[in-house]
């Protein structure tokens, strides 16, 4: 969570270019994500949204240009120092037999945190609070594969939020979501941004009207950001 203003952007792209073999995808792109922003990123299928996120998360290396997170060049050390929450498009739905309960999934969001007796109780309370906010507190002992796609995505959002990230990135995470889950999802994002000043970058190719509270809307066209 951002409890204090940063003197540098949470994310900054400078003159970034990337291509797959001879196929250009990102073309001299520039982009700044300031602390406390709630940005909706859209674009047609194949425009480079997923490639952009992979570059931002360090999964791909740009052929040209610079990528900074919290003023530092993207590296594993940055992801260890600054907690970045990530909610992908629902992948659990492709493996309904995934052997984990909702509670077990939530605990993975606190991986690496101290678990002595007092801290464990605090963590349990934090998990219950995050699930309650998304109306999933009654599913703690259920197998994650038994839930609907929308319910699974609510769990994944709760998981991303319990460690109080400084930046939350969502990649098509509302695709195919039922109306009730989408409404709750959007309400929680707006609340986190407004009350906790959480920086949010949400990628979608769908209707953006449900995402109340966003302060910026950008599109990838011809490999560049249009705002």
């Amino acid at each position: 969570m951002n409890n204090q203003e940063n003197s540098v952007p949470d994310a900054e792209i400078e003159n970034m270019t990337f291509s797959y073999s001879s196929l250009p995808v990102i073309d001299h792109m520039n982009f700044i994500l300031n602390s406390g922003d709630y940005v909706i990123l859209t674009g047609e299928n194949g425009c480079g949204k997923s490639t952009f996120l992979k570059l931002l998360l360090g999964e791909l290396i740009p052929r040209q240009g610079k990528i900074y997170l919290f003023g530092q060049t993207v590296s594993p050390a940055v992801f260890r120092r600054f907690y970045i929450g990530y909610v992908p498009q629902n992948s659990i739905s492709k493996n309904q037999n995934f052997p984990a309960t909702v509670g077990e999934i939530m605990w993975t969001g606190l991986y690496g945190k101290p678990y002595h007796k007092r801290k464990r109780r605090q963590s349990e309370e934090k998990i219950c609070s995050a699930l309650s906010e998304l109306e999933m507190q009654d599913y703690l002992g259920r197998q994650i594969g038994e839930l609907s796609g929308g319910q699974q995505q609510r769990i994944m959002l709760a998981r991303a939020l319990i460690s109080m990230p400084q930046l939350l990135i969502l990649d098509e995470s509302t695709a195919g979501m039922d109306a009730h889950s989408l409404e709750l999802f959007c309400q929680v994002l707006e609340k986190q941004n407004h009350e906790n000043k959480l920086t949010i970058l949400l990628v979608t190719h769908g209707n953006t009207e449900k995402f109340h509270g966003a302060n910026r809307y950008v599109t990838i066209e011809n490999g560049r950001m249009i705002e």
Side-chain angles (χ1 to χ4, degrees):
M1 171 190 313
N2 291 323
N3 289 321
Q4 58 185 5
E5 294 184 1
N6 294 325
S7 58
V8 296
D10 283 6
E12 185 172 8
I13 307 296
E14 291 184 354
N15 200 37
M16 183 172 70
T17 295
F18 182 84
S19 62
Y20 293 105
S21 297
S22 60
L23 178 64
V25 180
I26 304 297
D27 180 27
H28 297 90
M29 177 183 287
N30 293 285
F31 176 68
I32 291 178
L33 180 66
N34 293 306
S35 177
D37 272 346
Y38 182 177
V39 177
I40 305 296
L41 173 60
T42 61
E44 299 293 332
N45 288 334
C47 72
K49 299 189 300 296
S50 294
T51 299
F52 166 74
L53 287 187
K54 289 178 179 178
L55 288 159
L56 186 63
L57 294 170
E59 297 178 15
L60 294 174
I61 299 174
R63 296 180 180 272
Q64 177 182 325
K66 299 290 185 180
I67 307 172
Y68 301 100
L69 289 174
F70 306 101
Q72 300 182 25
T73 303
V74 171
S75 69
V78 172
F79 293 99
R80 288 193 296 268
R81 181 178 177 187
F82 301 96
Y83 185 73
I84 299 173
Y86 177 62
V87 183
Q89 188 170 348
N90 196 342
S91 58
I92 296 176
S93 62
K94 300 175 183 177
N95 184 9
Q96 293 299 100
N97 295 318
F98 189 74
T101 66
V102 168
E104 289 167 340
I105 292 291
M106 291 297 293
W107 275 105
T108 65
L110 294 171
Y111 178 77
K113 303 297 180 182
Y115 289 145
H116 57 76
K117 188 173 181 180
R118 186 177 64 181
K119 287 291 187 179
R120 186 174 183 88
R121 174 60 64 88
Q122 292 173 350
S123 296
E124 289 172 347
E125 292 174 352
K126 186 181 294 186
I127 286 172
C128 289
S129 176
L131 290 174
S132 295
E133 191 170 25
L134 286 148
E135 298 183 2
M136 294 302 296
Q137 67 274 18
D138 295 334
Y139 295 81
L140 192 64
R142 292 277 296 275
Q143 291 289 317
I144 189 72
E146 296 175 356
L147 307 184
S148 69
Q151 290 172 330
Q152 290 173 359
Q153 287 303 85
R154 282 190 260 163
I155 296 298
M156 298 310 289
L157 175 59
R159 175 188 176 277
L161 292 174
I162 55 175
S163 286
M164 303 169 66
Q166 295 170 266
L167 167 62
L168 179 64
I169 298 173
L170 306 103
D171 183 11
E172 304 280 8
S173 49
T174 60
M177 188 176 285
D178 62 274
H180 182 62
S181 291
L182 178 59
E183 182 179 1
L184 280 173
F185 205 90
C186 294
Q187 287 175 357
V188 170
L189 290 179
E190 182 179 11
K191 179 181 178 181
Q192 288 288 329
N193 175 254
H194 179 71
E195 296 184 6
N196 298 329
K197 308 305 180 186
L198 174 63
T199 307
I200 299 173
L201 174 62
L202 186 147
V203 176
T204 181
H205 70 273
N207 191 329
T208 63
E209 294 180 358
K210 291 286 186 179
F211 300 106
H212 304 297
N215 68 316
R216 295 174 60 192
Y217 292 84
V218 297
T219 304
I220 296 182
E221 293 183 9
N222 299 318
R224 299 189 179 189
M225 290 286 192
I226 308 296
E227 186 167 2

